[in-house]
């Protein structure tokens, strides 16, 4: 399936183009006249997304992956840069221009129960986007569509009048997916959609997302910290570190030959459920923790934890450089390490 | 049978009284732990894996009660009075939890939280206890331990807090360390650091470790033996290689197959175990896994399969085994 997608996407034009996207949050400083500091949650991200493609956004907590997802949907206003949806920049677009676009742009959240209003029945929850965006539809039509979508995502349609707390985590995530899918959007931002679920349920939800993608030619931005799931579901992968892109590459390139030291460390840190392999594999163990995003290191933001850091890394921030058709890396020494 | 097991659990059953009726969270669980070994306890949420260890540590919620037997060496410890139990828990048996922030007292400095147990249990002086706390923090890789011991929990990052928890658990040289999802809340690179630390500590201190987790990757790297839980029961036990390369129970098999692998590029859809985890309040007659099992046959719905031993610590609770 991904092979087909790869060939298809070269001809098509991108559905979404993000250029130099920045989200900076002002943090008030102590002291009356001290200037506010900037928390650079996302600091200059570029990528294109094609129809039917899944882009994985991975990184550790605090790397800016969720902020990026929300900034693309204009749920958090970007500080700078462009987000072009079907060729038209939507950064700073007024509410009335955004409203019709929201039909095509949906989101699924990590905590399935917390993202559902406990006082609404699941029928009302799934119908809400229809009521908002297609007020011309009659009650019966809405109900029919809701039931059809429920069946599609694996919920029994006769449960339409139940409340979210009556469902398990996996089922709640199906409700969230049904709500996102009911308008047949073109893009869904999935923000850690399976992280809160048990292993056996994770696989069900991942498979459902893949089926829906095939059926509706959906584009997905799949935000996750789980590199095993990302390898399974994504066509391309972006690795974020402190709001900066460390590496952006095709799935096969990045797992077979990661070029950025951070990507290498991340991939090697994922435990493999096979004792022989897990105990004998080579690992790059990073020392220390993620630095505070309020005072990121000078030069390359990764240098404080990088086992290969040299003087140059402290002085100049590396730019994202194309190293092959399918791989871009932001590292001064990607050739030599 | 005389043994040198540190911990022997026999017929442990834990029930909770809830407004909706009785829930059996742990049902007739038997196992033991030997010095220096690492036991992985695997299962999904609600499988009872944590409740087993809360039961034996005397940490159950008020509406819970346990029956059966738990022996620390030769001493029966299940349902002991807290006073008696305190001579063992935190001293010979320690437990660390998933979320280090909620397990540390946010109002107290780390120094106070760490020295308390030493002063209380070991009769150390405050200054000796502090020195010991600093040594331990140093040992688990906290830089500047002598200064940071005087900080509050919120001044540490998630990974550092988990190191503090581990240092606290190891203060009194326990013989058993129970780690309940110790790396689940951490990022992968930090998880790798903590797992390395646990491995090192085990070589240094020869502590018997119980690793409660849902992550089969973590178990693969760390454990000697594995116990798989489903619906409050042990469904399979065995050595780590038995479980990973020759699993007998359909649930273990399904769990392993449904893990996406970072070291494999597969184009096909993931294997998914169908259905939902069982509702403990309303377990079906017969095998708890019957509704999700691909090999289910008549007997599974009528009768509950018991754990059957195959020797070498190998056991599985499935009727399919009768044909083998």
């Amino acid at each position: 399936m991904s092979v087909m997608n790869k060939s298809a996407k070269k001809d098509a034009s991108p559905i979404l183009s993000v250029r130099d996207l920045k989200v900076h949050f002002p943090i008030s400083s102590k002291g009356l006249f001290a200037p506010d500091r900037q928390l650079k949650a996302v600091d200059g991200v570029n990528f294109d997304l094609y129809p039917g493609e899944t882009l994985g956004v991975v990184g550790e907590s605090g790397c800016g992956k969720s902020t990026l997802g929300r900034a693309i949907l204009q749920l958090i206003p970007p500080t700078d840069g462009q987000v072009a949806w079907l060729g038209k920049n939507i950064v700073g677009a007024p509410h009335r221009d955004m409203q019709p676009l929201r039909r095509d742009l949906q989101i699924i959240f990590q905590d399935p129960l917390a993202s559902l209003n406990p006082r609404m029945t699941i029928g009302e929850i799934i119908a809400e986007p229809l009521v908002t965006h297609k007020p011309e539809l009659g009650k019966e039509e809405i109900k029919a569509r809701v039931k059809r979508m429920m069946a599609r995502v694996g919920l029994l349609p006769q449960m339409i009048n139940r409340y979210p707390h009556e469902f398990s985590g996996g089922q709640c995530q199906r409700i969230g997916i049904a709500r996102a899918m009911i308008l047949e959007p073109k893009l869904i931002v999935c923000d850690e959609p399976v992280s809160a679920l048990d292993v056996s349920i994770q696989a069900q939800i991942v498979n459902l997302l893949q089926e829906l993608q095939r059926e509706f030619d959906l584009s997905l931005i799949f935000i996750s910290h789980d590199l095993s799931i990302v390898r399974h579901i994504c066509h391309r992968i972006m690795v974020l570190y402190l709001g900066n892109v460390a590496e952006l590459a095709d799935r096969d390139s990045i797992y077979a030959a990661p070029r950025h030291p951070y990507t290498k460390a991340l991939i090697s840190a994922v435990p493999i459920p096979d004792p022989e392999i897990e105990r004998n594999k080579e690992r790059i163990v990073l020392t220390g923790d993620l630095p505070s995003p309020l005072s990121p290191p000078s030069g390359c933001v990764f240098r404080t934890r990088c086992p290969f850091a040299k003087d140059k890394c402290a002085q100049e921030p590396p730019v994202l450089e194309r190293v092959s058709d399918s791989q871009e890396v932001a590292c001064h020494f990607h050739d030599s390490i | 049978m005389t043994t040198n097991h540190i911990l022997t659990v026999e017929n442990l059953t834990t029930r909770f009284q809830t407004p909706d009726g009785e829930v059996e969270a742990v049902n007739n669980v038997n196992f033991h732990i030997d010095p220096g070994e690492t036991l992985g306890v695997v299962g999904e949420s609600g499988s009872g894996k944590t409740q087993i260890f809360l039961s034996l540590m005397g940490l159950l919620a008020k509406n819970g009660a346990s029956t059966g037997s738990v022996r620390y060496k030769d001493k029966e410890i299940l349902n002991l009075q807290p006073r008696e139990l305190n001579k063992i828990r935190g001293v010979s048996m320690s437990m660390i939890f998933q979320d280090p922030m909620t397990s540390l007292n946010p109002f107290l400095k780390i120094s106070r939280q760490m020295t308390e147990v030493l002063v209380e249990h070991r009769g150390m002086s405050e200054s000796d206890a502090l020195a010991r706390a600093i040594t331990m923090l140093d040992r688990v890789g906290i830089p500047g331990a002598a200064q940071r011991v005087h900080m509050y929990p919120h001044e540490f990052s998630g990974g550092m807090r988990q190191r503090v928890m581990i240092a606290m658990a190891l203060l009194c040289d326990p013989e058993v360390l129970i780690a309940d999802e110790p790396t689940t809340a951490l990022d992968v690179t930090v998880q790798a650091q903590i797992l390395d630390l646990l491995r090192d500590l085990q070589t240094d201190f020869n502590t018997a470790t119980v690793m409660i987790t849902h992550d089969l990757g973590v178990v693969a790297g760390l454990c000697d033996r594995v116990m798989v839980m489903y619906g409050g029961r042990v469904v399979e036990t065995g050595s780590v290689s038995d479980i990973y390369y020759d699993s007998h129970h359909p649930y273990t098999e399904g769990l392993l197959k449904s893990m996406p692998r970072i070291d494999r590029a597969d184009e096909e859809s993931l294997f998914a175990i169908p259905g939902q985890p069982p509702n403990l309040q309303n377990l079906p007659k017969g095998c708890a896994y019957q509704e999700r099992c691909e090999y289910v046959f008549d007997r599974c719905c009528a009768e509950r399969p018991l754990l059957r031993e195959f020797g070498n610590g190998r056991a599985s609770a499935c009727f399919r085994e009768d044909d083998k």
Side-chain angles (χ1 to χ4, degrees):
Chain A
M1 173 215 156
S2 74
V3 178
M4 250 178 58
N5 252 304
K6 271 181 212 160
S7 51
K9 91 182 186 200
K10 295 286 172 204
D11 320 324
S13 53
I15 193 168
L16 179 79
S17 294
V18 172
R19 291 291 171 270
D20 204 27
L21 189 70
K22 290 180 182 164
V23 184
H24 296 178
F25 296 108
I27 304 289
S28 53
S29 305
K30 289 170 188 163
L32 190 55
F33 298 107
D36 279 358
R37 290 185 295 170
Q38 297 288 321
L39 190 154
K40 297 178 177 175
V42 175
D43 202 22
V45 167
N46 295 283
F47 70 90
D48 290 327
L49 185 72
Y50 293 87
E53 188 187 32
T54 305
L55 175 75
V57 180
V58 299
E60 297 177 278
S61 33
C63 72
K65 53 191 191 301
S66 290
T67 307
L68 173 65
R70 284 167 168 72
I72 289 166
L73 299 183
Q74 309 298 306
L75 297 175
I76 296 174
T79 314
D80 199 9
Q82 279 196 358
V83 176
W85 174 248
L86 300 171
K88 190 167 170 282
N89 185 20
I90 56 171
V91 170
H95 180 73
R96 65 169 188 281
D97 292 353
M98 264 321 282
Q99 190 67 6
L101 297 181
R102 297 233 176 262
R103 244 177 255 177
D104 289 337
L105 307 168
Q106 292 290 329
I107 184 164
I108 305 170
F109 299 96
Q110 170 169 8
D111 187 332
L113 190 56
S115 58
L116 304 176
N117 185 338
R119 296 173 58 160
M120 287 165 83
T121 64
I122 69 162
E124 289 164 353
I125 290 171
I126 299 171
E128 203 178 19
L130 276 181
V131 176
T132 311
H133 289 282
K134 300 198 169 157
E136 70 277 10
L137 292 180
K139 265 191 181 157
E140 285 311 307
E141 174 63 16
I142 287 181
K143 198 169 176 185
R145 287 195 191 192
V146 167
K147 284 192 166 176
R148 220 178 306 144
M149 188 49 74
M150 284 177 71
R152 182 63 200 84
V153 300
L155 293 164
L156 292 174
Q158 58 264 39
M159 293 181 165
I160 191 163
N161 289 322
R162 302 234 189 142
Y163 288 89
H165 73 267
E166 298 176 65
F167 294 85
S168 67
Q171 287 173 312
C172 283
Q173 201 54 287
R174 290 179 196 270
I175 299 169
I177 292 172
R179 173 177 61 185
M181 283 301 301
I182 192 92
L183 293 166
E184 300 188 5
K186 296 194 174 77
L187 168 71
I188 300 184
V189 173
C190 309
D191 191 356
E192 302 260 15
V194 297
S195 315
L197 306 178
D198 278 318
V199 182
S200 72
I201 307 299
Q202 271 189 2
Q204 295 177 4
I205 299 295
V206 165
N207 288 344
L208 173 63
L209 283 171
Q210 284 188 314
E211 286 163 26
L212 292 171
Q213 172 167 53
R214 253 164 284 184
E215 210 171 304
F216 296 92
D217 201 27
L218 266 177
S219 301
L220 298 175
I221 293 179
F222 194 89
I223 299 169
S224 178
H225 69 280
D226 183 337
L227 283 102
S228 315
I229 293 255
V230 164
R231 173 163 203 172
H232 192 83
I233 195 173
C234 299
H235 306 116
R236 272 191 309 149
I237 288 143
M238 172 192 285
V239 181
L240 279 183
Y241 188 82
L242 279 184
N244 289 263
V245 179
E247 189 160 358
L248 176 60
D250 264 4
R251 183 249 316 260
D252 292 340
S253 321
I254 209 162
Y255 285 98
R259 300 291 291 270
H260 196 283
Y262 180 58
T263 318
K264 290 183 189 196
L266 263 187
I267 290 176
S268 79
V270 176
I272 299 171
D274 183 317
E276 284 289 314
I277 300 175
E278 174 62 15
R279 286 168 204 219
N280 296 312
K281 71 175 184 187
E282 233 174 276
R283 286 197 300 146
I284 304 171
V285 175
L286 293 180
T287 49
D289 290 321
L290 203 67
S292 160
L294 268 176
S295 49
S298 65
C300 173
V301 284
F302 182 57
R303 70 176 168 84
T304 51
R305 295 173 78 195
C306 181
F308 310 103
K310 299 189 175 68
D311 293 345
K312 189 183 179 188
C313 304
Q315 287 142 17
E316 267 177 64
V319 288
L320 202 61
E321 213 180 300
R322 184 166 287 280
V323 292
S324 78
D325 268 1
S326 54
Q327 203 159 10
E328 292 170 75
V329 181
C331 175
H332 291 307
F333 300 101
H334 63 78
D335 279 334
S336 51
I337 55 175
Chain B
M1 188 168 70
T2 56
T3 60
N4 54 355
H5 302 327
I6 295 193
L7 202 64
T8 315
V9 174
E10 280 170 1
N11 306 325
L12 181 72
T13 296
T14 299
R15 296 190 178 87
F16 289 92
Q17 303 301 330
T18 72
D20 304 325
E22 194 176 69
V23 175
E24 212 166 61
V26 179
N27 186 302
N28 201 16
V29 166
N30 295 277
F31 68 97
H32 60 82
I33 301 165
D34 289 336
E37 79 167 343
T38 303
L39 173 71
V41 181
V42 181
E44 297 180 276
S45 25
S47 62
K49 57 190 192 300
T50 299
Q51 296 305 330
I52 295 176
F53 295 93
L54 292 180
S55 305
L56 63 90
M57 293 291 273
L59 297 172
L60 281 182
K62 281 207 180 68
N63 59 343
S66 303
T67 56
S69 154
V70 177
R71 287 193 307 277
Y72 167 73
K73 292 180 178 163
D74 290 321
K75 191 177 160 57
E76 177 63 45
I77 60 166
L78 191 68
N79 300 326
L80 273 188
Q81 288 305 308
R83 270 176 70 116
E84 284 294 303
L85 200 53
N86 282 347
K87 291 177 186 162
I88 293 169
R89 62 178 176 190
V91 187
S92 309
M93 291 196 315
S94 291
M95 189 155 176
I96 49 180
F97 298 91
Q98 174 172 355
D99 184 351
M101 193 58 199
T102 50
S103 328
L104 291 166
N105 186 333
F107 288 111
L108 299 179
K109 290 177 180 170
I110 297 299
S111 54
R112 169 79 192 282
Q113 302 190 48
M114 288 187 76
T115 52
E116 200 173 24
V117 60
L118 292 169
V119 174
E120 190 84 1
H121 286 298
R122 286 282 153 95
M124 281 186 172
S125 69
E126 286 283 349
S127 58
D128 287 354
L130 188 63
R132 166 96 179 130
I134 293 170
T135 319
M136 221 52 232
L137 288 177
D138 201 42
R139 178 64 197 83
V140 299
I142 292 188
Q147 291 82 46
R148 300 194 77 175
V149 74
H150 298 294
M151 289 183 170
Y152 289 94
H154 74 266
E155 296 175 86
F156 291 82
S157 67
M160 283 294 154
R161 257 180 240 143
Q162 198 54 285
R163 285 172 196 264
V164 171
M165 286 301 297
I166 294 172
M168 275 173 87
L170 295 175
L171 275 175
C172 294
D173 293 323
E175 286 174 275
V176 185
L177 176 67
I178 299 163
D180 186 4
E181 305 260 10
T183 58
T184 308
L186 305 175
D187 284 314
V188 273
T189 59
V190 180
Q191 165 172 286
Q193 295 169 6
I194 299 290
L195 292 178
D196 273 353
L197 172 66
L198 287 172
R199 242 182 303 251
D200 285 357
L201 292 172
Q202 202 174 23
T203 341
D204 291 6
F205 297 94
N206 200 33
T207 318
T209 310
V210 177
M211 190 77 187
I212 306 170
T213 180
H214 68 278
D215 188 334
L216 289 161
V218 169
V219 172
L222 202 67
C223 299
D224 306 313
R225 280 194 299 131
V226 186
M227 181 160 101
V228 184
M229 303 280 305
Y230 191 80
R233 291 184 172 76
V234 178
V235 292
E236 184 162 8
T237 62
S239 72
V240 81
S241 58
D242 285 340
I243 295 287
Y244 282 79
Y245 302 126
D246 181 28
S247 58
H248 284 201
H249 198 281
Y251 175 62
T252 317
E253 196 184 301
L255 213 50
L256 281 165
K257 271 202 282 181
S258 60
M259 292 280 290
R261 293 275 297 257
I262 196 167
D263 57 334
R264 279 189 204 149
D266 35 9
E267 294 291 331
E268 269 134 64
S269 59
L270 278 175
F271 175 83
I273 301 178
Q276 306 289 328
N279 176 358
L280 288 176
Q281 225 142 26
N282 193 9
L283 281 179
K285 196 174 171 232
C287 177
Y289 190 59
Q290 56 179 278
E291 284 159 14
R292 308 176 75 188
C293 183
E294 54 183 312
Y295 309 105
V296 64
F297 58 101
D298 304 348
R299 197 175 164 197
C300 310
C301 310
E303 225 182 297
R304 188 159 282 168
L306 298 174
L307 205 57
R308 245 186 61 180
E309 302 265 352
F310 304 100
N312 283 336
R314 193 84 220 270
S316 164
C318 180
F319 290 129
R320 262 200 324 159
E321 298 301 330
D322 291 359
D323 309 333
K324 283 192 180 172

